[in-house]
C-alpha cells in the first residue's frame, strides 16, 4: 500500500517536472547542451586544450578511360595530436556504398505500388561491379599491417600504440570502377556523351580517407549509407593524376607542372587572366571540339599540391572548355575558374566563373578571407557537390528540338529559364560550401544542417546581393527568386504533419523531408534571426565570430548556439529550442481588440469605433498613488488624457513555437505604423496574451506579422476586425 502511494507520488513529481520543462519556452538549454570543458568552452570557442588530428596524403592515381576504372596508391602520414593513445586507425571506404548488395541497397525500402524508380537502385546493387579493392596495406618499411574492412569503414591496426604527438606513416593500394553518375546517383562518377564517344569524369570519394577522431565522438566511423555526408581531417596533399594525354584535369589545389601538361598558348592565356577584368578562355570551345576527336593513346601526369584541405577531388575529360580570371579577395587575389563541355554553353560560358567570383565576394564579407588560391566550378553529370576549391554543378541548357513548333519553342524557353536560375543558385551553393564545411569543418555525417543550413543562409545572401552587371542583366534581382531564406517560404513545411517531420537536431540519416529540414528550415531560422530577432549588426558580428573561431577546426552544434549568444548578448535559448529541437510551429491569432477610453467631464463613450469600447477608470489609481505620496506630474497626467486611445489586443498562439509579435497599426486617417515586441512577450503564458497599445490617433484595424517575417502558418486570423481588407498583404502573399 505504502509502496503504491510512493510510486504514485513519484510519478506525479516526474510528470510535474516534465510539465515544467516542457511548459516553459524560455528555460535555458542546459539539459540539452553538452557540458562545456577545456576542449569546448561555455562561450562556444575552442578551449585551451582543444586538439584535432591531421593527415597528410601522397597519392598516385591513374584513370583508365577505356573501362572507366581507377587505380591508385597512397601514403598517409597520420598525426596523433590527441592526448590519447591510439591502437588502431579508421579509414573511410566510400566507394563500397556502391558495392554489390551494400548496406545502402540492403536497407533501402520501397513499394513497387508507388515507386518503380527505386527499382533502378535494386538493379544497380545486384549487378554492381563497384566498390574498393584494397591491397598492399603496409607500414613505412613495407611491413604488412593487419586491417579489417567493415562495409564503408576500414580499421588498420597499429603495430604499437601511437602516443600523443607521434605520427604514423603507412601506404595502401586500391582500385575501383567509376560509377555511371546519371544511373546510380551519388556525388561523383562519369557521364558518357554518345555523340562524340567521350567520357567526362567527376571524381570524388576516390581514395581511402582518414576518419575524424575527436574529443566529441572518438572515432567518427558511422557507416556511409549515402545521405549523411563526410567527416574529414585537415592535411596537406600531393596528388599525381595520370590520364590520357588529351584529357584536361581540374583539381583541388595548385597545378605544379603546367609546362608539362599545358600548351604554351594556354600558359600565356593564364598569365593574361591574372589581371583580366572578365573571365579569359584558356581552352576555347573550338579547341575543345578539336580535342574531343583526338583520342590520344599516350598519357600525361598532372601534379597537384593542396595545403590544409580536408579532401581532394578532381575532374577529367577531353571535352573541357576552360575559362578563368583572378579576383581580389581581402589582401590577395584568387583564381575563379570553370570547366565545362560544349553542352553547357551558352549558359556556362556566360555565367559560371562570374558566379564563382561573386560567391567568394559575398561569403568572405560575412565570414573570412578565402584562404585557398583557387575556386573552381565544373559542369558534368553531378548536379551539385562540393569539395575543397572545386565543385561539380549541373544546369545544362536544353537544346531546341529540330522543327519545333511555336508551343515547343515557348516550352523550351521556359525550361531554359528555370535551368538558368537553378545553375546560378547551385554554383553559389557549392562554391559556398568551401566556407561550410570545407573550412569551418563540421561533422556532416552527424549534422547536415551545420553545413547545409549555414551555407543555404549565405546562399540566400549571395542571391539577394547579385551585382548590377552585364552577366546579371537577364536575371531577376531585388529580389532574386530565392527558393530558401524568406520566412514565408518555410510555412508549408512547418505546417506539414508532425509525423513527417523531425527536429533539425537529428542525425543526417534519419532526417525526413531532407531538403526542408537540413537546408530550408535552418537557413530560414538564421535569416529570421538576422532580419527580425537580433538585427543585422548583432547577427553579422556573432556569425563572423563563429566562422573565424572555427575555421580550420571542427565545430559542434553547441559551439554555434553558444557563440551566437555570447557575441550578441541576445538570449536565444528559446529560439534554438523551438526551431532546432522541436517541430513546433508559430500560429498567432488576433482574437479580439477592445478600446478603452478615459472619459472627460460630460463625455460619453464614442459609438464610432469599430472595436468594442469600454470606459477606462483611472481616478482610483491616481488617488491611491497620491495617498502613498506619489504625485503625478502634469506631463504624466497628460499621458492619461481623454484624447488618447488605449487598445488591448488579445492574441492567442495556436502553435507551440514562440516568436516575436509584430503588429501593424492602421489608423483611420490612412497612415500606418509597425510595433515590434520580442518573443519574451510570451514568457509567462505562451498560449494567450493581452497587449496594451496606446495611440494618439484612432485605429481602424490591427494586423499581425504584416511582412510575413515569423513563419506564421495561418495568416487568415491575423487581422482585426476580421473583415478589414488588406490588398497589399494579399499581394505580398501571392508574390511569394
Ligand atoms: Zn549543400
Amino acid at each position: 500500500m505504502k509502496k503504491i502511494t510512493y510510486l504514485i507520488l513519484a510519478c506525479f513529481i516526474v510528470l510535474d517536472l516534465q510539465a515544467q520543462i516542457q511548459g516553459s519556452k524560455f528555460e535555458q538549454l542546459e539539459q540539452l547542451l553538452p557540458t562545456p570543458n577545456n576542449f569546448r568552452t561555455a562561450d562556444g570557442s575552442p578551449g585551451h586544450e582543444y586538439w584535432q588530428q591531421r593527415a597528410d596524403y601522397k597519392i598516385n592515381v591513374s584513370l583508365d578511360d577505356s573501362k572507366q576504372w581507377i587505380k591508385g596508391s597512397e601514403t598517409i602520414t597520420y598525426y596523433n595530436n590527441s592526448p590519447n593513445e591510439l591502437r588502431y586507425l579508421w579509414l573511410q571506404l566510400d566507394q563500397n556504398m556502391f558495392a554489390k548488395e551494400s548496406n545502402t541497397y540492403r536497407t533501402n525500402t520501397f513499394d513497387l505500388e508507388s515507386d518503380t524508380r527505386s527499382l533502378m537502385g535494386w538493379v544497380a546493387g545486384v549487378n554492381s561491379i563497384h566498390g574498393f579493392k584494397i591491397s598492399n596495406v603496409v607500414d613505412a618499411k613495407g611491413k604488412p599491417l593487419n586491417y579489417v574492412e567493415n562495409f564503408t569503414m576500414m580499421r588498420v591496426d597499429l603495430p604499437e600504440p601511437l602516443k600523443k604527438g607521434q605520427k604514423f606513416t603507412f601506404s595502401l593500394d586500391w582500385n575501383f570502377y567509376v560509377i555511371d553518375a546519371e544511373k546510380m546517383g551519388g556525388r561523383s562518377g562519369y557521364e558518357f556523351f554518345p555523340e562524340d564517344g567521350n567520357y567526362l569524369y567527376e571524381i570524388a570519394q576516390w581514395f581511402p580517407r582518414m576518419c575524424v577522431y575527436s574529443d566529441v565522438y572518438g572515432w567518427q566511423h558511422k557507416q556511409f549509407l549515402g545521405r549523411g555526408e563526410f567527416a574529414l581531417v585537415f592535411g596537406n596533399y600531393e596528388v599525381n593524376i595520370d590520364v590520357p594525354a588529351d584529357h584536361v584535369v581540374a583539381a583541388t589545389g595548385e597545378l605544379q607542372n603546367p609546362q608539362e601538361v599545358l600548351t604554351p598558348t594556354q600558359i600565356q592565356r593564364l598569365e593574361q587572366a591574372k589581371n583580366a577584368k572578365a573571365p579569359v578562355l584558356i581552352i576555347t570551345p573550338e579547341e575543345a571540339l578539336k580535342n574531343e576527336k583526338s583520342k590520344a593513346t599516350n598519357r600525361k601526369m598532372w601534379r597537384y599540391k593542396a595545403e590544409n584541405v580536408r579532401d581532394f577531388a578532381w575532374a577529367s575529360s577531353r571535352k573541357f572548355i576552360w575559362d578563368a580570371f583572378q579576383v581580389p579577395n581581402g589582401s590577395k587575389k584568387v583564381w575563379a575558374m570553370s570547366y565545362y563541355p560544349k553542352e553547357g554553353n551558352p549558359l556556362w560560358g556566360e555565367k559560371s566563373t562570374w558566379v564563382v567570383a561573386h560567391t567568394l565576394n559575398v561569403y568572405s564579407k560575412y565570414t573570412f578571407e578565402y584562404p585557398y588560391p583557387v575556386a573552381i566550378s565544373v559542369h558534368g553529370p553531378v548536379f551539385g557537390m562540393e569539395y575543397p576549391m572545386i565543385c561539380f554543378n549541373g544546369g545544362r541548357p536544353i537544346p531546341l528540338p529540330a522543327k519545333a513548333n511555336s508551343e515547343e519553342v515557348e516550352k523550351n524557353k521556359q525550361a531554359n529559364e528555370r535551368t538558368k536560375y537553378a545553375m546560378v543558385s547551385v554554383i553559389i551553393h557549392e562554391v559556398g560550401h568551401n566556407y561550410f564545411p570545407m573550412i569551418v569543418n563540421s561533422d556532416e555525417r552527424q549534422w547536415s544542417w551545420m553545413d547545409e543550413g549555414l551555407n543555404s543562409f549565405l546562399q540566400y545572401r549571395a542571391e539577394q546581393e547579385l551585382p548590377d552587371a552585364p552577366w546579371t542583366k537577364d536575371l531577376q534581382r531585388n529580389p532574386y527568386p530565392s527558393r530558401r531564406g524568406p520566412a514565408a517560404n518555410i510555412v508549408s513545411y512547418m505546417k506539414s504533419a508532425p509525423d513527417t517531420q523531425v527536429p533539425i537536431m537529428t542525425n543526417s540519416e534519419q532526417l525526413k523531408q531532407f531538403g526542408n529540414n537540413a537546408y530550408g528550415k535552418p537557413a530560414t531560422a538564421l535569416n529570421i534571426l538576422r532580419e527580425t530577432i537580433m538585427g543585422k549588426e548583432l547577427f553579422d558580428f556573432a556569425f563572423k565570430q563563429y566562422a573565424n573561431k572555427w575555421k580550420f577546426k571542427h565545430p559542434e552544434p553547441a559551439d554555434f548556439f553558444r557563440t551566437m549568444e555570447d557575441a550578441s548578448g541576445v538570449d536565444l535559448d528559446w529560439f534554438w529550442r523551438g526551431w532546432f529541437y522541436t517541430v513546433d510551429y508559430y500560429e498567432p491569432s488576433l482574437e479580439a481588440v477592445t478600446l478603452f477610453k478615459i472619459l472627460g467631464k460630460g463625455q460619453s463613450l464614442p459609438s464610432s469605433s469599430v472595436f468594442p469600447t469600454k470606459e477606462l477608470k483611472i481616478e482610483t489609481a491616481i488617488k491611491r498613488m497620491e495617498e502613498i505620496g506619489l504625485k503625478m506630474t502634469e506631463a504624466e497626467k497628460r499621458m492619461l488624457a481623454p484624447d488618447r486611445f488605449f487598445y488591448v489586443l488579445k492574441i492567442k498562439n495556436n502553435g507551440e513555437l514562440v516568436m516575436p509579435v509584430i503588429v501593424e497599426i492602421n489608423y483611420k486617417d490612412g497612415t500606418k505604423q509597425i510595433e515590434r515586441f520580442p518573443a519574451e512577450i510570451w514568457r509567462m503564458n505562451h498560449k494567450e496574451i493581452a497587449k496594451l497599445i496606446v495611440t494618439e490617433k484612432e485605429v481602424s484595424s490591427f494586423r499581425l506579422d504584416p511582412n510575413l517575417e515569423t513563419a506564421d502558418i495561418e495568416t487568415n486570423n491575423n487581422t482585426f476586425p476580421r473583415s478589414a481588407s488588406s490588398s497589399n498583404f494579399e499581394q505580398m502573399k501571392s508574390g511569394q
Side-chain angles (χ1 to χ4, degrees), residues 365-385:
K365 184 177 85 180
Y366 288 106
T367 56
F368 40 75
E369 187 174 308
Y370 183 70
Y372 295 134
V374 57
I376 299 169
S377 164
V378 179
H379 179 46
V382 177
F383 187 80
M385 188 58 206

Side-chain angles (χ1 to χ4, degrees), residues 386 429-430 433 451-452 455 519:
E386 68 277 14
H429 184 94
E430 307 307 341
H433 268 308
D451 68 305
E452 298 302 352
N455 184 38
Y519 298 63

Side-chain angles (χ1 to χ4, degrees), residues 201-217:
Y201 299 88
E202 292 178 322
I203 302 296
Q205 296 92 42
W206 58 281
F207 59 100
R209 304 181 291 179
M210 291 305 306
C211 292
V212 168
Y213 177 79
S214 76
D215 59 294
V216 183
Y217 300 113

